[in-house]
Amino acid sequence: MINVYNTMSREKEELVIDNNVIKLFVCGPTVYDYSHIGHARTYISFDVIVRYLKHKGYSVFYLQNITDIDDKIINRAKERNVDPLELSHKFEEEYLKDMQLLNVTNVNFYARATEHMQAIINQIQTLMDKGYAYDTPTGVYFDVSKFEGFAKLSNRKLDDLQNVRISVDSTKKDPKDFALWKKQDEEPYWDSPWGKGRPGWHIEDTAITETYFGPQYNIHGGGLDLIFPHHDAEIAQMEAASGKEPLVEYWMHTGFLNVRGEKMSKSLGNFITIKELLKDYSPETYRFFVLSTHYRSPIDFSDEILKQAENSLNRIRNTGKLLLDYYNSEDIADSNEETVVEDLNNFKDEFFSAMDNDFNTPIALSSLFDYTHKLNKSIASCIISKDTTLEIIDTLKTIENILGIDILVEDSVGSDLSNDILSILTDVREKLRAKKDWDLADKIRDDLSQLDISLEDK
Ligand code: AMP
């Protein structure tokens, strides 16, 4: 059983899915620049959520849109004197490359807004026919006063919204009404029953999800910033057009990646691109860093915390390597000592119940970290049988798949510097042993073993 926090009910709910097939939609990026590590935070979180759902036996169809036409894209293209679609498709390509590098590999289909123009127009037409939308000289707008319960996801009252300017346009009946179609004669435009123009931001998502999932589906995800107005607008559009509710059973939102308390964003200009980050850190270190915080909580980005994540991952991998070496060594025990199986079972319980509880990766990772300490000791004392070693390896392989991070790596891990220091220490210790200075040699070995590094005297 998995419990999921549903933004709509503001409670954790048991995930109940008919036929074990999950239709999941997560809002994709607006591609007018390189993606930053805040985007990566959201997409890594959903990647792990999908990996875990699959591990639990669900079959998941994960759909993401690509906003390839939008004001920001058009403005950026003007600044650079290039074609807006050329610009957006270049950055879409870069986004997909970044996701591949970060091992975000579970999206089944990326749907471009511009390739769903007919579905968008059809949905707007339905809203017009049903009296939820109206046409003005500047565009077609959704009339929020016609949709009972507007903003039910963000839980805002219509009266509170009086001062919220969704977009300024004097032809709108009410400032809260939002654009379904923006009229314009300048390229890029598409023909529609209301004249040349392009779609509003919210309608592309419901037109895309209706195309692939129909009017209702299981899970919708995105960053916290999208709850209002974007997701509230999606609910209004699709529920009004289809007459069916709810649009979505479970709404899931990720917290922000912040820099000094402020959301990392392209518009604030305080962003680090994924490409920049990957010059200094491995993709797996970044995944580990992201997963060390619960997906709904904010993360404060700092080099220090990333370095800690790198060290923790290296230590876990050291254990992975020790375990593989132990499995192939002649020292492997014939039978287990009592605690070995108990430690493994406790660890599995902790890890998987944390994941079942709204995908609590930080608790799952800390149980993994604690377990590796125990494992290091058991390996050093050669008290694990071959069968159990294999079972541990299998468990860690399952976990690797869920986290999208390799743990069982053959080559030595750790920074070059720490490897160099280690080699100096072992040389010194060899010299001490040659001089029969057993006390000091043993002290070096014991101190290193506190760091989970075991030295063997051959
Ligand atoms: P955008 O390209 O701005 O539409 O963002 C694409 C996705 O990334 C949305 O789900 C956003 O909520 C999410 N996102 C953008 N900035 C951040 C951030 N700093 N932290 C977490 N998620 C973010």
Side-chain angles (χ1 to χ4, degrees):
M1 185 181 92
I2 303 185
N3 283 313
V4 176
Y5 182 87
N6 189 346
T7 310
M8 183 61 90
S9 65
R10 289 176 168 66
E11 277 175 7
K12 277 189 204 162
E13 295 174 16
E14 186 183 338
L15 185 70
V16 181
I17 301 286
D18 286 343
N19 308 322
N20 270 13
V21 179
I22 297 181
K23 294 171 187 165
L24 164 75
F25 175 72
V26 175
C27 288
T30 305
V31 279
Y32 68 101
D33 205 336
Y34 291 107
S35 301
H36 59 67
I37 59 175
H39 297 128
R41 191 264 161 116
T42 286
Y43 297 124
I44 289 171
S45 300
F46 281 106
D47 183 65
V48 171
I49 288 169
V50 172
R51 284 164 182 267
Y52 194 63
L53 291 171
K54 288 182 177 173
H55 162 77
K56 294 291 275 190
Y58 291 104
S59 147
V60 184
F61 191 95
Y62 179 3
L63 176 65
Q64 214 178 86
N65 69 309
I66 299 280
T67 303
D68 60 343
I69 188 68
D70 169 88
D71 291 339
K72 290 178 194 147
I73 295 171
I74 292 173
N75 293 340
R76 180 62 56 89
K78 271 188 192 147
E79 275 164 40
R80 296 195 181 174
N81 206 16
V82 291
D83 175 63
L85 293 183
E86 219 171 89
L87 179 104
S88 61
H89 294 159
K90 168 189 152 64
F91 286 116
E92 172 193 309
E93 208 174 294
E94 295 299 337
Y95 164 69
L96 297 179
K97 277 190 215 156
D98 289 342
M99 290 302 112
Q100 202 64 39
L101 283 174
L102 291 169
N103 205 13
V104 171
T105 51
N106 284 282
V107 177
N108 295 87
F109 189 61
Y110 290 99
R112 285 177 179 168
T114 55
E115 287 171 5
H116 294 78
M117 227 26 101
Q118 195 52 51
I120 290 170
I121 290 170
N122 292 348
Q123 202 171 83
I124 299 174
Q125 188 62 61
T126 308
L127 291 169
M128 287 289 277
D129 295 345
K130 291 193 165 189
Y132 286 101
Y134 59 91
D135 188 5
T136 82
T138 61
V140 178
Y141 295 95
F142 187 94
D143 185 343
V144 297
S145 70
K146 295 272 167 58
F147 182 75
E148 206 182 315
F150 180 69
K152 56 188 166 187
L153 183 66
S154 60
N155 215 5
R156 296 184 190 211
K157 303 270 173 293
L158 263 196
D159 290 344
D160 301 343
L161 295 176
Q162 290 308 341
N163 296 324
V164 176
R165 285 219 195 130
I166 297 177
S167 81
V168 187
D169 185 293
S170 57
T171 69
K172 291 203 287 188
K173 289 188 193 164
D174 185 316
K176 297 185 293 297
D177 295 347
F178 54 85
L180 299 168
W181 190 257
K182 298 182 176 185
K183 295 185 184 176
Q184 67 174 47
D185 285 337
E186 213 183 312
E187 293 271 11
Y189 62 73
W190 286 261
D191 288 321
S192 84
W194 316 281
K196 291 177 177 136
R198 59 192 169 83
W201 176 35
H202 317 304
I203 195 81
E204 66 175 91
D205 287 4
T206 45
I208 286 169
T209 54
E210 190 184 15
T211 302
Y212 300 100
F213 293 161
Q216 295 181 292
Y217 56 99
N218 307 106
I219 307 181
H220 188 323
L224 262 186
D225 52 334
L226 300 185
I227 296 177
F228 183 85
H230 190 48
H231 292 162
D232 271 322
E234 280 188 47
I235 293 173
Q237 289 164 172
M238 195 64 247
E239 291 186 2
S242 70
K244 292 186 178 151
E245 60 171 322
L247 161 64
V248 162
E249 288 168 316
Y250 303 90
W251 286 92
M252 298 180 71
H253 291 98
T254 48
F256 294 144
L257 178 97
N258 294 325
V259 192
R260 284 176 225 101
E262 207 170 27
K263 180 191 162 200
M264 178 172 287
S265 81
K266 285 183 246 184
S267 46
L268 289 174
N270 61 351
F271 65 94
I272 301 170
T273 62
I274 296 169
K275 290 182 202 314
E276 280 161 356
L277 179 98
L278 295 183
K279 284 183 197 152
D280 297 327
Y281 296 95
S282 75
E284 297 188 311
T285 295
Y286 191 63
R287 282 184 82 98
F288 194 91
F289 163 81
V290 166
L291 299 175
S292 302
T293 301
H294 187 246
Y295 77 89
R296 286 192 282 118
S297 304
I299 305 184
D300 249 312
F301 178 80
S302 76
D303 263 321
E304 236 179 11
I305 309 178
L306 253 176
K307 292 225 163 75
Q308 278 171 21
E310 189 169 56
N311 286 337
S312 304
L313 178 58
N314 283 343
R315 287 176 76 170
I316 291 171
R317 284 178 162 174
N318 266 323
T319 306
K321 179 171 161 34
L322 287 177
L323 190 71
L324 293 178
D325 289 348
Y326 177 70
Y327 183 69
N328 295 317
S329 82
E330 285 167 7
D331 299 333
I332 198 152
D334 291 332
S335 59
N336 291 318
E337 263 182 35
E338 278 168 36
T339 51
V340 166
V341 174
E342 196 184 312
D343 285 348
L344 174 62
N345 289 340
N346 287 343
F347 160 59
K348 284 206 259 185
D349 272 359
E350 278 171 30
F351 185 94
F352 292 104
S353 35
M355 291 302 288
D356 286 343
N357 183 9
D358 196 25
F359 312 96
N360 200 325
T361 51
I363 296 195
L365 287 184
S366 92
S367 74
L368 172 62
F369 200 67
D370 291 348
Y371 180 57
T372 54
H373 280 289
K374 292 185 182 146
L375 209 46
N376 288 345
K377 286 192 187 127
S378 306
I379 294 168
S381 351
C382 303
I383 57 168
I384 320 176
S385 73
K386 193 152 191 142
D387 283 353
T388 306
T389 309
L390 203 56
E391 195 187 333
I392 299 170
I393 291 174
D394 274 352
T395 305
L396 292 181
K397 279 193 176 149
T398 304
I399 288 174
E400 282 185 327
N401 252 330
I402 293 170
L403 302 176
I405 298 173
D406 288 337
I407 298 170
L408 294 156
V409 279
E410 294 279 355
D411 30 331
S412 96
V413 290
S415 68
D416 288 344
L417 179 65
S418 50
N419 282 338
D420 291 345
I421 293 172
L422 197 58
S423 116
I424 294 170
L425 274 174
T426 47
D427 277 349
V428 170
R429 186 166 172 272
E430 279 312 303
K431 295 206 166 76
L432 290 169
R433 279 163 53 80
K435 285 163 82 187
K436 297 195 170 19
D437 190 341
W438 308 117
D439 284 351
L440 210 47
D442 285 351
K443 182 174 167 24
I444 292 175
R445 187 195 55 209
D446 295 346
D447 286 356
L448 286 176
S449 94
Q450 296 287 317
L451 299 174
D452 294 325
I453 298 167
S454 64
L455 293 185
E456 268 176 42
D457 294 320
K458 293 243 160 112

